[in-house]
Amino acid sequence: MSGLETAGAVASVVMAAVTTATLIVLIWYTVETYKLRLEAQRQSENSIMPIVMLQSVYVQGEHMGISRPTIRNLGSGPAFNVYVGPMQISGKAVVFEHPRMLAPGQDEFVAVSGLRQAMRHSDGGFDDGKIHHTNDLRMAFKSTQDVAETTGVITYMSASGKKYRTTFTVDHTSDDESFVRFDGVEPL
């Protein structure tokens, strides 16, 4: 083998090594870029993620105050198709009535139906049969025999279309206004 052939063989080996190294670097770069893209998508979704929960708020009137059950979006993005699943209270399925959309930071009163009948009072007043006050709701849960707590679910969707679920627990034995415990949010 002449010097020129040896140099050509060495050049071929060096070229193959450089090409292989370039391929390895390119594959590594592609994997890292993919990871960055996934992280950017995750951060983008988190920046518009709604967090919806059920709670009680105190409303001060002109002469007195009262606590009302509310549904609130604590997240930084709007919540669409908000749905609180029905719960059992004293053997009856109750339904939570509320808006289906919540803006970031928005809270709205909740009415609970399914426990009482609507009726007209003798003085001409009307009771729609729905629970509008936190204490009435708490007392309804307390009246459920042999049940210490009930788990509830709220489902909703972010602006990007991603679906979420908030779980909460209602403490039937509680004597205060904070008888609803937030258990967490998870993507669906």
Side-chain angles (χ1 to χ4, degrees):
M1 202 181 230
S2 71
L4 194 52
E5 290 174 336
T6 302
V10 169
S12 291
V13 169
V14 169
M15 183 61 109
V18 168
T19 302
T20 302
T22 302
L23 180 62
I24 290 170
V25 168
L26 185 60
I27 291 170
W28 173 80
Y29 179 78
T30 302
V31 168
E32 290 299 315
T33 302
Y34 176 73
K35 289 179 187 176
L36 286 172
R37 182 176 65 86
L38 290 179
E39 180 61 21
Q41 285 176 330
R42 187 188 68 76
Q43 288 180 6
S44 175
E45 179 61 33
N46 285 346
S47 72
I48 60 167
M49 179 178 151
I51 300 172
V52 177
M53 63 181 288
L54 191 66
Q55 64 182 35
S56 175
V57 298
Y58 185 77
V59 180
Q60 180 62 47
E62 186 175 330
H63 300 289
M64 63 180 261
I66 194 152
S67 292
R68 299 274 313 262
T70 62
I71 190 164
R72 176 176 282 178
N73 180 2
L74 297 173
S76 55
F80 299 98
N81 301 326
V82 178
Y83 175 72
V84 179
M87 299 176 82
Q88 290 288 321
I89 300 178
S90 299
K92 296 180 181 177
V94 298
V95 176
F96 293 82
E97 299 176 16
H98 55 83
R100 300 279 292 156
M101 184 181 84
L102 294 169
Q106 180 180 1
D107 63 337
E108 294 290 336
F109 295 127
V110 173
V112 181
S113 61
L115 288 176
R116 305 185 301 199
Q117 295 295 321
M119 59 187 217
R120 183 160 306 281
H121 299 287
S122 59
D123 64 0
F126 181 75
D127 180 354
D128 65 3
K130 298 175 185 176
I131 294 176
H132 297 279
H133 301 102
T134 301
N135 191 52
D136 294 342
L137 182 59
R138 185 175 55 80
M139 295 310 288
F141 276 110
K142 282 183 82 89
S143 71
T144 303
Q145 299 292 325
D146 302 325
V147 179
E149 54 186 36
T150 301
T151 301
V153 175
I154 306 170
T155 56
Y156 46 96
M157 187 173 66
S158 72
S160 70
K162 190 167 185 176
K163 294 180 180 179
Y164 293 94
R165 173 178 42 220
T166 296
T167 54
F168 61 94
T169 301
V170 177
D171 180 0
H172 294 228
T173 62
S174 176
D175 286 325
D176 63 20
E177 300 294 318
S178 59
F179 65 100
V180 178
R181 183 180 70 234
F182 175 76
D183 294 331
V185 175
E186 61 184 348
L188 295 178

